[in-house]
Amino acid sequence: MWKNPDPATSIRASREAEPGEEPDYSAATRNSGDAAGEEPGSSGGEVSEEEACALDAIPRPWDYNPSAWSQRIPICILAMVAFLIATYMALYQWRLIGSAWDPMFGSQTEKVLDSQVSERMRLWFLIPDAAFGAIAYLGDAIFGLAGSTRRWQYRPWMVIVFGIDVIPLGIVSAVLVVLQGTVVGSWCFLCLVTALISLVLVYMAFDEVWSCLLYLREVWRKTHDSRLLWKTFWGGRDPRTDRIAAEFCRVPARDRASRGATGVAAAGGD
Amino acid sequence: MWSRVVEIMLGCWLLISPFVFGYPAENASWWYWDMGSGTIVILLALLSWLPATRRAHLGTVLVSLVLIGSACARGWSSPEISAAVQNDASLGLMLIMFAVIPCNASAPPAGWRTRAAGPSGV
């Protein structure tokens, strides 16, 4: 399935590699067949522009691209729904509206939103906890929306920030739900909805973050070059990481005529 | 560039905040601070359109940190958290998230921009 299934074929490391270090990363034979027997530091074994720049490349370990718009837009929409719900609850906590809607637990929502736990958090965050949550959901949408469809490779920092926003938020939401039942003793329907959304978001966002972490691990494992890892993390391009990425992902087969069109469609906008 | 557009909107909100929340006239520093930071945010966002200063929006991260810091300093020292403090804290948090998004974020970084992606990459 993978484009380069033969890890035994290796090429010499480029001159930037650590002295005395074994060139342990492999570039398997490509269609052009130029991988073996290159001079160190030469441009041989380079990945093609198509491999390096195909925006619909599919990273390990999935059989789809987790950075595709079809994967990310639903996350953004769901996060914005949670943002609106949290904003509504914040409006109540600010007393810009007089009551909070709850179809199941009646006035218990208001008890939760005015609870001691909530008041305490307000002293820490300076803003009502619902407003703080709303900003975090907004962050999910922002970081879900930014970046190209190959950002697991091109902008790892963005995917990691996205994960840092989504995953702890899901955990915090779950903890707050437990606190509702145990400490406050009341239930808040909309809080439960947002907590559920948070957990779904964790599930939906996980695949992309995982691919990104695996790719960074691969860069480290094959080069042991911390500066290269740093450069990769911040979205710098390097022939060595291009090669690693080309092995890490596969480009869906398609005829030449549709390549350009796909590229334009994927890169369009903003 | 959508994040720059949002930054400009948030900068406008900072400019009108003193009027929206009715900052007392004797607290001149609150007025200067919100209107000053709003102006800086808008200018940095506009500068980001020029190729030479396309990373100017990162300066907004600093502005946001100072906004959050001043909100914490004021909010944690008094029992009553004023609207001005809450406004600065929320705006700082939101601005910092938008400010780290690169210009043309939907296109690959400069190194990977191919001819196909060219027209959208500035």
Side-chain angles (χ1 to χ4, degrees):
Chain A
M1 200 62 175
W2 297 108
K3 195 161 183 123
N4 304 301
D6 181 13
T9 318
S10 67
I11 61 158
R12 271 166 244 147
S14 58
R15 288 188 199 281
E16 296 89 58
E18 296 283 327
E21 182 161 88
E22 283 301 311
D24 59 347
Y25 59 84
S26 59
T29 315
R30 303 189 183 288
N31 292 339
S32 47
D34 57 356
E38 291 296 334
E39 289 301 309
S42 77
S43 62
E46 288 303 318
V47 296
S48 67
E49 268 316 271
E50 166 69 6
E51 277 180 302
C53 298
L55 285 169
D56 54 354
I58 296 170
R60 290 182 202 161
W62 317 109
D63 55 7
Y64 56 92
N65 177 11
S67 297
W69 290 116
S70 58
Q71 293 285 318
R72 281 159 52 195
I73 293 291
I75 295 178
C76 297
I77 292 173
L78 205 52
M80 285 313 286
V81 170
F83 166 76
L84 291 175
I85 296 174
T87 305
Y88 171 78
M89 293 191 286
L91 288 179
Y92 172 74
Q93 290 182 314
W94 274 318
R95 289 300 186 278
L96 293 170
I97 52 176
S99 64
W101 175 79
D102 191 324
M104 287 176 75
F105 306 109
S107 63
Q108 288 190 35
T109 285
E110 293 170 11
K111 275 189 198 136
V112 169
L113 295 179
D114 293 333
S115 65
Q116 283 294 315
V117 176
S118 173
E119 288 298 316
R120 177 64 58 82
M121 282 195 286
R122 189 170 189 161
L123 293 180
W124 293 340
F125 298 151
L126 302 173
I127 50 177
D129 51 351
F132 194 78
I135 292 173
Y137 287 118
L138 182 66
D140 288 357
I142 295 169
F143 293 116
L145 205 57
S148 69
T149 53
R150 198 166 164 166
R151 62 178 191 163
W152 57 265
Q153 176 196 350
Y154 291 167
R155 289 195 174 100
W157 66 270
M158 197 180 271
V159 179
I160 301 297
V161 168
F162 175 59
I164 289 174
D165 198 352
V166 170
I167 293 166
L169 187 68
I171 295 166
V172 168
S173 286
V175 168
L176 287 180
V177 166
V178 173
L179 283 179
Q180 274 182 46
T182 56
V183 178
V184 182
S186 301
W187 294 99
C188 157
F189 177 74
L190 290 175
C191 311
L192 296 176
V193 171
T194 53
L196 182 68
I197 291 178
S198 301
L199 296 177
V200 173
L201 286 175
V202 171
Y203 173 75
M204 292 170 81
F206 163 77
D207 51 2
E208 188 180 19
V209 180
W210 185 239
S211 273
C212 184
L213 289 173
L214 283 180
Y215 169 63
L216 290 175
R217 195 192 66 163
E218 197 78 352
V219 169
W220 173 249
R221 213 167 55 79
K222 291 191 170 172
T223 65
H224 286 287
D225 183 342
S226 51
R227 280 172 59 195
L228 181 67
L229 187 67
W230 182 249
K231 182 182 171 187
T232 306
F233 182 76
W234 293 109
R237 186 176 182 181
D238 189 279
R240 288 177 287 168
T241 50
D242 264 9
R243 213 149 32 202
I244 294 167
E247 286 172 43
F248 189 79
C249 68
R250 66 188 168 84
V251 179
R254 55 186 121 86
D255 59 276
R256 184 163 282 279
S258 66
R259 278 180 191 171
T262 317
V264 169
D270 205 20
Chain B
M1 301 301 285
W2 48 269
S3 49
R4 302 293 89 79
V5 175
V6 179
E7 279 164 32
I8 291 171
M9 291 187 215
L10 292 175
C12 291
W13 174 257
L14 277 171
L15 285 180
I16 62 170
S17 288
F19 305 102
V20 172
F21 295 106
Y23 291 0
E26 60 269 23
N27 274 341
S29 65
W30 293 16
W31 286 72
Y32 292 139
W33 178 240
D34 273 21
M35 300 184 99
S37 56
T39 311
I40 295 170
V41 166
I42 293 171
L43 287 177
L44 288 174
L46 289 174
L47 276 177
S48 303
W49 260 280
L50 300 177
T53 51
R54 67 201 164 85
R55 296 197 194 279
H57 59 91
L58 292 176
T60 300
V61 174
L62 287 179
V63 177
S64 320
L65 287 176
V66 178
L67 265 176
I68 295 169
S70 78
C72 290
R74 282 181 285 162
W76 286 341
S77 60
S78 71
E80 185 67 22
I81 303 169
S82 65
V85 168
Q86 298 193 44
N87 187 47
D88 283 359
S90 346
L91 262 289
L93 287 171
M94 279 196 271
L95 276 171
I96 211 167
M97 295 192 299
F98 285 107
V100 295
I101 303 295
C103 297
N104 294 301
S106 307
W112 281 284
R113 270 175 213 162
T114 57
R115 265 166 288 127
S120 67
V122 177

